[in-house]
Amino acid sequence: RAADVGGAHRERPVGLRPAGEVRMGSGDRLALSEGEAIAIPTGGAVPEGADAVVPIELCSTDGERVWVLQPAGPGEHVRPAGEDAEAGDVLVPAGRRLLGPDLGLLASSGTASAPVHPRVRVGVVSTGDELVPVGRPLAPGRIHDANAFTLIAAVEEAGGVAVHPPIVPDDPDRLVEALDRLAEEVDVLISSGGVAVGERDPVKRAFAGRGEVELYEVAMQPGKPQAFGSWRNRPFFGLPGNAVSVFVSFEVFVRPALMRMMGRAPFRPEAVAVLEEDVAGLPRKTRFARVRLRRDGARLLAAPTGSHRSSLLTPLAGAHGLAVIPAGVEAVRAGHPCPVIVFRDPEEG
């Protein structure tokens, strides 16, 4: 007890009678009487009548006495029951992605199960006669399937699980067959390519006139051609084939949907950054310009990373976010603020 090892005994060590030992995990509730000391392991249950603990390195023994070399105050080195959380406290708020600390807190409270939204499973289908799997040599007129890796990584970063079947050629029947098989094991379907107005575009040919999936032209750049609907009771997103269009379309349309399905806040953080260079707008489309961010004191600065062409991945890979230039704005000039959708932490480089 603090009264026995403090107060008037500050000028000399206090001698107490040894009175047993608390065993870790034991249900025994030893009681402490006046003038006694009980040995206790770190994390052990505090004996009845005790309100302070003195570390062993501040004590000495001679067989008959435990000498306390430093006074202790009430509650010293004691963790009160219920200190971490009280009855009625919310341990983990709804919508939070469960990480190690959250699961540890639930476990420490004795919570063996909790209602959750599972990670959404997403089927990622690449279409195109010109596509070749990464790692295989290219013949003339062929390109590697970069869109699959862009989408798989985007799905995983959002917290989902990506499922990627083999590349589907520009054949509407083969596309439908692939989607039918995927729909049995995933929650969401995504395809890239084949949503434009060409006669061989497989998404257009597969769904034209059926009503389940509609094709759209969205007033944005990049990402104008889009398809959306439901296939086999699964949401279906048909994204453009250009590499940058795929990523921007995912950020604008798909990612918010996946996040909502997993019970999480749907949108990326938005920042207001001051442009370091002019960024041109478009008369009838919202432009999503790739920009790199940096701090200048209290200001956040944004610089374009290169061409706005939707086929070039290098400017996108070097960007931290997408500057949003509203339709009808001739340009946002250098030195003026602009909203930016941040998809990479600038501190990551």
Side-chain angles (χ1 to χ4, degrees), residues 97 116-124 151-164 182-183 185-190 233-237 250 253-266:
R97 185 177 184 178
V116 299
H117 293 270
R119 296 178 66 188
V120 63
R121 294 179 60 82
V122 183
V124 176
L151 288 172
I152 289 170
V155 167
E156 296 283 345
E157 188 270 341
V161 178
V163 179
H164 179 53
L182 264 182
E185 56 176 312
V186 301
D187 308 298
V188 179
L189 298 164
I190 304 175
N233 295 318
R234 302 290 188 267
F236 171 79
F237 295 87
F250 181 92
F253 300 118
V254 185
R255 191 177 190 278
L258 301 186
M259 300 294 279
R260 181 68 72 186
M261 292 176 71
M262 292 185 287
R264 297 172 58 197

Side-chain angles (χ1 to χ4, degrees), residues 13-316:
V14 176
L16 303 173
R17 296 186 302 274
E21 180 180 354
V22 173
R23 293 176 298 163
M24 181 66 78
S26 171
D28 299 339
R29 294 292 290 172
L30 300 181
L32 189 70
S33 299
E34 184 175 352
E36 294 180 337
I38 293 178
I40 181 173
T42 301
V46 176
E48 296 288 345
D51 62 0
V53 174
V54 179
I56 194 169
E57 58 267 27
L58 299 179
C59 301
S60 66
T61 61
D62 61 8
E64 297 182 357
R65 285 285 187 273
V66 176
W67 296 97
V68 180
L69 309 178
Q70 181 173 305
E76 196 160 334
H77 299 294
V78 174
R79 299 173 181 173
E83 181 183 34
D84 205 6
E86 298 180 358
D89 285 353
V90 175
L91 299 182
V92 180
R96 172 179 288 180
R97 185 177 184 178
L98 294 178
L99 300 180
D102 306 303
L103 295 175
L105 177 57
L106 291 172
S108 72
S109 72
T111 303
S113 62
V116 299
H117 293 270
R119 296 178 66 188
V120 63
R121 294 179 60 82
V122 183
V124 176
V125 180
S126 299
T127 68
D129 291 337
E130 77 282 9
L131 297 181
V132 175
V134 175
R136 296 187 184 178
L138 292 177
R142 310 296 291 275
I143 61 173
H144 285 124
D145 182 15
N147 287 352
F149 285 88
T150 300
L151 288 172
I152 289 170
V155 167
E156 296 283 345
E157 188 270 341
V161 178
V163 179
H164 179 53
I167 295 168
V168 177
D170 288 323
D171 181 326
D173 295 329
R174 297 276 296 276
L175 174 60
V176 169
E177 291 172 4
L179 294 175
D180 284 347
R181 288 193 298 270
L182 264 182
E184 297 179 358
E185 56 176 312
V186 301
D187 308 298
V188 179
L189 298 164
I190 304 175
S191 71
S192 64
V195 295
V197 295
E199 289 302 318
R200 289 188 54 78
D201 286 329
V203 175
K204 172 187 174 183
R205 294 164 63 202
F207 298 115
R210 294 193 179 189
E212 295 100 331
V213 175
E214 298 290 341
L215 276 71
Y216 302 91
E217 290 188 352
V218 182
M220 60 186 285
Q221 194 280 330
K224 176 182 175 182
Q226 300 283 336
F228 178 71
S230 175
W231 188 253
R232 301 290 183 258
N233 295 318
R234 302 290 188 267
F236 171 79
F237 295 87
L239 308 185
N242 278 322
V244 180
S245 299
V246 162
F247 180 79
V248 174
S249 299
F250 181 92
E251 287 293 310
V252 174
F253 300 118
V254 185
R255 191 177 190 278
L258 301 186
M259 300 294 279
R260 181 68 72 186
M261 292 176 71
M262 292 185 287
R264 297 172 58 197
F267 300 110
R268 289 284 196 192
E270 276 199 13
V272 176
V274 176
L275 293 180
E276 297 191 76
E277 302 174 23
D278 293 354
V279 177
L282 298 167
R284 297 181 180 85
K285 298 179 185 177
T286 297
R287 165 163 279 166
F288 294 91
R290 282 70 81 192
V291 294
R292 189 170 182 82
L293 302 172
R294 68 181 181 91
R295 285 284 176 188
D296 179 27
R299 297 194 309 167
L300 184 65
L301 303 180
T305 55
S307 170
H308 297 309
R309 292 172 60 184
S310 59
S311 59
L312 301 181
L313 277 169
T314 300
L316 179 63

